[in-house]
Amino acid sequence: TFLLAVLASGLAAPAAAQRLFAPDQASGGLVELDPVDGSVVSLVAVDLPSLTGGASMLPVAGTQLPNGEIWISDLSANAVFRLDRSATTYLGAIPVVLDQPRQLVPYSGGVLLANGGFDGGAPGPGRIHLDAQGQIVAFFATTQPFGLLPFELAGVDGYLYTEFGFRAVTFADASNLALQTMFAPVGGAAFTLFPEDLAQRANGNVRVASFISPSGIYELDPSGQVVQ
């Protein structure tokens, strides 16, 4: 299977049986990393610009759907590109207008995608549930979401997502994504940051990558309290 890390964060912790790819903003393609130690296996493992006919510009994140397809979001192209399970054949972009698409994760046979804005008729800042054909099933407005992470909070399955417009990490119930709970108001007194990427450690803690000073990687415990 394919596991695609979020651009620049390097926070993913894959199983050894998986192949690990990271979007590369310099080449517009995918770098392959060793899933155990993170060393570079291939600088251009998947040449997205060539596969997409030059459409790929700034790949941000990707995931593999239950049907085997690999979907890759591109922040500058305002698109989600579809590849076959081997990442060698381009299947086209999904048929939905997007504006600054960001992280995406598997959800209910399709994906849950963080979208940035309204340009071109996109639905606006929020989380979009897309089916396996790339059609919108539901939309949940938020304030500039970026990262998405499957997560269990107090026995409830759901998703954490960062909101850099609100400087927070929020939890949404998987059974009803409209049900939201503040997980970490990280723009408060503990620290101030511009939260983007998320990843969970084996011990259950969550790491949050901050883009704007004080930039860095912060760690929260399973209840949302700052560890370091």
Side-chain angles (χ1 to χ4, degrees):
T1 58
F2 287 83
L3 176 69
L4 290 98
V6 178
L7 177 65
S9 75
L11 298 182
Q18 294 175 315
R19 297 176 68 190
L20 174 64
F21 294 86
D24 177 31
Q25 62 180 337
S27 70
L30 301 181
V31 175
E32 184 169 3
L33 306 175
D34 186 285
V36 177
D37 62 17
S39 61
V40 175
V41 174
S42 173
L43 284 174
V44 188
V46 180
D47 188 349
L48 279 176
S50 294
L51 284 175
T52 62
S56 177
M57 293 183 284
L58 188 62
V60 174
T63 194
Q64 190 166 31
L65 276 65
N67 65 10
E69 287 188 12
I70 298 167
W71 288 16
I72 300 167
S73 58
D74 192 303
L75 189 70
S76 294
N78 294 324
V80 172
F81 301 121
R82 299 166 52 230
L83 306 178
D84 69 353
R85 66 174 63 245
S86 67
T88 58
T89 301
Y90 178 50
L91 303 176
I94 67 170
V96 171
V97 176
L98 301 170
D99 181 22
Q100 300 181 50
R102 297 152 182 173
Q103 179 64 283
L104 69 170
V105 293
Y107 177 72
S108 190
V111 302
L112 191 61
L113 170 75
N115 186 70
F118 296 97
D119 285 358
R127 294 160 293 127
I128 306 174
H129 175 198
L130 299 164
D131 64 19
Q133 287 69 51
Q135 299 290 345
I136 295 178
V137 177
F139 174 75
F140 306 89
T142 62
T143 59
Q144 289 298 327
F146 196 105
L148 284 166
L149 176 71
F151 188 77
E152 181 181 302
L153 179 64
V156 177
D157 290 331
Y159 296 85
L160 292 180
Y161 64 95
T162 54
E163 297 183 89
F164 61 74
F166 193 45
R167 294 193 172 185
V169 179
T170 303
F171 176 80
D173 189 321
S175 65
N176 183 351
L177 293 172
L179 297 177
Q180 303 177 84
T181 303
M182 180 69 69
F183 180 71
V186 293
F191 51 23
T192 299
L193 66 133
F194 197 85
E196 289 196 348
D197 300 336
L198 290 163
Q200 188 170 22
R201 299 188 64 196
N203 65 1
N205 287 355
V206 175
R207 286 185 172 176
V208 183
S210 167
F211 178 64
I212 290 179
S213 181
S215 60
I217 298 174
Y218 296 85
E219 187 163 334
L220 312 174
D221 69 19
S223 68
Q225 298 301 308
V226 178
V227 177
Q228 61 183 32

